[in-house]
Amino acid sequence: MAQRETWSTRTGFILAAVGSAVGLGNIWRFPFAVGDGGGAAFLIVYLAFIALIGFPAILAEFVVGRKTGRNPVGALMEYGGEAWKYVGGVFVFIGIVLLSYYSVIAGWFIRYFLAGFQGSYADHLASYNGEAIEMFFDMTFGMSSVVLHTVFMAATIGIVALGIRQGIELAVKLMVPALIVLLVGLAVWAFTLDGAGAGYAYYLSPDAGTIAENWATLLPAAAGQAFFTLSLGMGVMITYASYLGEDRNLTKDAATIIGFDTGIAFLAGLVVFPVFFSGGIEPGEGGPITIFVSMTEAFANIPGGRVLGLVFFGTVVIGALSSAISLLEVVTAYLIDEKGVDRWKAAGGIGLLIYVIGLPTTYDIIFIELYDGFIDAVLLVFGALMVMILVGWVAPKVAVAELEKGIGDLDGLAQAWIWAIRVPIIIVLVISLYLGIVDYMDILASFSEWMNANL
Ligand code: PHE
């Protein structure tokens, strides 16, 4: 086998992992998940999930990745035994489906970014008689969506084809700092808006009653969102850690990455909710189109909305691209390591397949719900659960030894990590998975209605 690449610096690895974590999950998904979950109540459950489950889970993926130095299929097989390659296969499948619609949604953001150049959001909105939803469907679906999906996938393929150091590492070194600067700028500006106070209140003051009443929907939603935003449950962190040298302190890296991702999601909330409330928008249960509809209405109503909108939508595109490359890298690494395909052919070939699989989602929003619901509430939770079983029960000793490399003896902390995984985390994940599957049945039911009505 040809020599496998490694990250050139520790910062390179951290930026790549942060770049993967920070994306549509933080800016597109997070606000509507908060909206669906009733505001601050969701935020609390989500933060608890990140700290208590996200952190042990990312460490588990790092350990498996660095120990084996392979893509998820090879890594799980080497770590757990032959049968685990099927779980790795599920991870590759998740990567393919997730990227297919992720790219289409990124294309919507490109469309809204371009719209800012064509005229103010107020003018755009006026030409649809003030109907932001109509504007959304007209601007994003159909041909424009196909074209922008093509552009976004081409950029993703190009970066991944260039490899770890020349492609991914270089790209994230530019993108991640730019993203942070832009978001901080937007949050500062949002702070000056009239409705900022109401936005912060909605976002930041939780109500224990709401949590207790809605736990059965909050739990799977928070679980799905936590894994989605940290890029867990499908092998990205396994793959990225497989390009690491031995000497890294994995716990420190994990804490840094989680800190950045959570900080940025939180920051995105500090932009979005003040903007909503200033524009007189109630953060409702609009699902995947919420951010477009509400932000356009808000940008149309506030001074400087055109420039701010342009910067906002452009920022999201940067975040999406640094996540998309990690998704494609998982599948590409699999083809390179296990099938001996060369990097360009692997990225290009599978990228094309992903592109085609994404096409239905340019046609009707129901496909986005169908894809995203399955990935988010079911498959990522399943994937994370599998890694937990692998590390907690199948080969815990190997995991402890690997975690302690580059750190030294952890005095029982590594054992505590294993026990946390073994019992409480696995129980919570099984419950979340069950509830997630139950919720997904509703989406399937509306999909079959849609099929009956349209075919
Ligand atoms: N974490 C990314 C985001 O928040 C999405 C993602 C999920 C990327 C899983 C890779 C793997 O947008």
Side-chain angles (χ1 to χ4, degrees):
M1 213 199 319
Q3 176 83 33
R4 232 164 159 269
E5 270 194 279
T6 55
W7 305 105
S8 67
T9 59
R10 171 164 186 254
T11 318
F13 163 66
I14 291 185
L15 288 179
V18 170
S20 169
V22 175
L24 296 181
N26 305 59
I27 307 172
W28 162 74
R29 207 164 201 305
F30 182 66
F32 81 76
V34 174
D36 287 351
F42 176 86
L43 188 65
I44 293 284
V45 180
Y46 163 80
L47 287 176
F49 226 97
I50 295 278
L52 301 176
I53 298 183
F55 184 66
I58 200 170
L59 280 180
E61 289 206 14
F62 281 170
V63 160
V64 172
R66 189 177 65 179
K67 170 79 195 157
T68 57
R70 297 172 75 172
N71 68 92
V73 176
L76 293 194
M77 188 166 64
E78 185 179 320
Y79 197 95
E82 190 64 21
W84 282 86
K85 72 174 181 219
Y86 298 106
V87 177
V90 174
F91 286 12
V92 170
F93 171 79
I94 299 177
I96 292 173
V97 177
L98 179 42
L99 182 53
S100 79
Y101 73 90
Y102 200 86
S103 165
V104 171
I105 298 168
W108 300 347
F109 280 96
I110 303 180
R111 181 68 193 88
Y112 272 72
F113 170 69
L114 296 176
F117 285 101
Q118 295 165 329
S120 73
Y121 294 93
D123 290 346
H124 284 296
L125 199 54
S127 63
Y128 293 94
N129 298 321
E131 299 288 338
I133 296 187
E134 222 170 84
M135 170 173 155
F136 172 80
F137 283 105
D138 187 56
M139 286 205 334
T140 54
F141 276 84
M143 214 41 218
S144 131
S145 192
V146 174
V147 171
L148 295 172
H149 172 46
T150 314
V151 170
F152 188 83
M153 275 310 296
T156 308
I157 292 170
I159 296 172
V160 170
L162 287 170
I164 297 304
R165 293 191 181 187
Q166 298 298 318
I168 299 182
E169 201 171 327
L170 200 66
V172 295
K173 276 184 182 157
L174 299 172
M175 290 194 280
V176 173
L179 180 82
I180 294 175
V181 171
L182 290 168
L183 265 183
V184 170
L186 284 165
V188 169
W189 160 76
F191 175 74
T192 66
L193 293 173
D194 275 349
Y200 296 142
Y202 169 82
Y203 182 41
L204 301 175
S205 35
D207 150 20
T210 319
I211 302 181
E213 252 168 56
N214 300 314
W215 73 273
T217 40
L218 280 175
L219 187 66
Q225 176 62 21
F227 295 135
F228 190 97
T229 188
L230 292 175
S231 302
L232 291 176
M234 50 77 58
V236 164
M237 295 302 172
I238 294 179
T239 310
Y240 274 10
S242 76
Y243 300 117
L244 270 178
E246 292 271 300
D247 53 341
R248 268 32 179 232
N249 180 335
L250 290 177
T251 52
K252 242 199 217 160
D253 290 0
T256 311
I257 293 160
I258 292 191
F260 269 105
D261 184 68
T262 309
I264 291 174
F266 186 71
L267 200 61
L270 291 183
V271 176
V272 170
F273 294 107
V275 170
F276 280 5
F277 280 87
S278 309
I281 312 300
E282 273 289 310
E285 305 193 350
I289 72 170
T290 310
I291 191 92
F292 298 95
V293 170
S294 314
M295 289 307 252
T296 324
E297 287 177 348
F299 288 133
N301 282 346
I302 45 190
R306 180 172 177 181
V307 177
L308 293 160
L310 218 148
V311 175
F312 174 78
F313 292 119
T315 307
V316 182
V317 176
I318 299 176
L321 188 56
S322 61
S323 301
I325 56 185
S326 72
L327 287 162
L328 187 58
E329 178 58 28
V330 168
V331 188
T332 304
Y334 160 69
L335 291 174
I336 298 173
D337 292 355
E338 307 298 317
K339 307 280 171 207
V341 184
D342 111 334
R343 182 169 271 279
W344 271 96
K345 285 197 189 120
I350 205 70
L352 193 64
L353 176 72
I354 292 172
Y355 171 77
V356 173
I357 295 178
L359 287 174
T361 63
T362 65
Y363 176 70
D364 194 290
I365 190 98
I366 188 98
F367 287 98
I368 296 276
E369 279 159 10
L370 190 71
Y371 285 34
D372 185 58
F374 191 44
I375 295 289
D376 186 68
V378 181
L379 286 180
L380 291 182
V381 182
F382 168 80
L385 176 63
M386 287 296 130
V387 176
M388 299 283 102
I389 292 173
L390 183 63
V391 165
W393 290 100
V394 178
K397 286 210 182 86
V398 186
V400 169
E402 185 62 31
L403 186 69
E404 290 183 337
K405 262 190 211 157
I407 313 181
D409 188 5
L410 284 170
D411 295 329
L413 271 182
Q415 286 302 331
W417 169 60
I418 294 292
W419 277 103
I421 288 176
R422 278 193 168 175
V423 185
I425 295 183
I426 288 182
I427 293 177
V428 174
L429 291 189
V430 169
I431 298 174
S432 305
L433 182 61
Y434 169 75
L435 294 171
I437 293 173
V438 172
D439 282 350
Y440 191 63
M441 294 298 160
D442 289 343
I443 296 183
L444 281 181
S446 42
F447 183 65
S448 76
E449 266 169 38
W450 181 90
M451 294 273 276
N452 288 333
N454 287 275
L455 297 181

